[in-house]
Amino acid sequence: MNKILKIITLIFFLVFFANMASSKDNFFDEALKMYQDKKYDDARFMLERNIVFNPKDAKSYLYLAKIYNHEENQRKEEYNLDTALLIEPNNEEVILMLMKIALKKSNYSKVKDLSKTFVKVCIKLCNKSDEIQKSLINIEPENES
């Protein structure tokens, strides 16, 4: 009888943890669908919920940053991008978004540092860096005088 109880308890815990593992993916998938439907408040809630279960999910932080970008909350956007970059240092989309924020803040040294990293890791968004570099070239001589 004791063995049967142990087996049932073990099966219960396995099913419980398997269900929790699959729900983590569901939170992000639901959040992504809500984000695409422009339901930003609901998407933010689901992304934050996903982060509770999976705090090292860089995609969740990236999409939170995108939501804060839409809401024009630059401080929270930058915070989430910095967190995503810590988790995934080679994420070109995160680096590009941070470069744009640094450019808005006129932090040209940060843009240069990020662009060096971006050039090394870019795969899909390489042409976007060229636009930022051109704007830096146009602005930089004004700062030196």
Side-chain angles (χ1 to χ4, degrees):
M1 183 68 173
N2 199 12
K3 285 185 178 181
I4 293 172
L5 186 60
K6 287 181 180 178
I7 292 172
I8 290 173
T9 306
L10 180 66
I11 291 171
F12 173 75
F13 280 114
L14 288 174
V15 169
F16 177 74
F17 287 116
N19 188 27
M20 280 191 60
S22 67
S23 70
K24 293 176 192 174
D25 294 332
N26 290 340
F27 290 141
F28 181 78
D29 294 340
E30 287 179 47
L32 186 58
K33 186 176 183 320
M34 290 174 187
Y35 175 82
Q36 291 168 342
D37 293 339
K38 298 183 181 182
K39 297 177 183 175
Y40 298 125
D41 288 335
D42 296 334
R44 180 177 349 127
F45 175 75
M46 293 305 286
L47 289 167
E48 289 171 348
R49 197 169 177 187
N50 187 50
I51 288 171
V52 168
F53 288 107
N54 189 4
K56 293 184 179 179
D57 183 25
K59 291 186 293 185
S60 293
Y61 290 104
L62 172 62
Y63 278 92
L64 271 176
K66 288 181 179 186
I67 290 170
Y68 288 123
N69 183 308
H70 286 286
E71 295 174 354
E72 297 180 2
N73 187 337
Q74 190 176 42
R75 185 180 59 78
K76 288 186 177 181
E77 176 188 4
E78 189 172 9
Y79 170 80
N80 283 288
L81 288 172
D82 286 338
T83 305
L85 192 62
L86 283 172
I87 296 167
E88 200 174 289
N90 294 338
N91 189 321
E92 62 184 308
E93 190 172 6
V94 171
I95 296 170
L96 183 64
M97 289 177 73
L98 281 170
M99 285 170 56
K100 288 179 181 179
I101 290 173
L103 196 59
K104 283 181 189 175
K105 289 182 166 184
S106 302
N107 189 347
Y108 304 115
S109 61
K110 185 174 181 177
V111 175
K112 282 185 173 184
D113 292 341
L114 288 169
S115 66
K116 289 176 187 175
T117 306
F118 186 80
V119 169
K120 294 175 187 174
V121 299
C122 78
I123 297 170
K124 298 176 186 174
L125 303 172
C126 294
N127 61 336
K128 300 286 185 177
S129 176
D130 296 339
E131 296 171 16
I132 291 175
Q133 293 301 323
K134 287 178 186 174
S135 65
L136 269 180
I137 291 170
N138 293 336
I139 295 172
E140 217 169 66
E142 295 172 12
N143 289 341
E144 292 177 3
S145 57

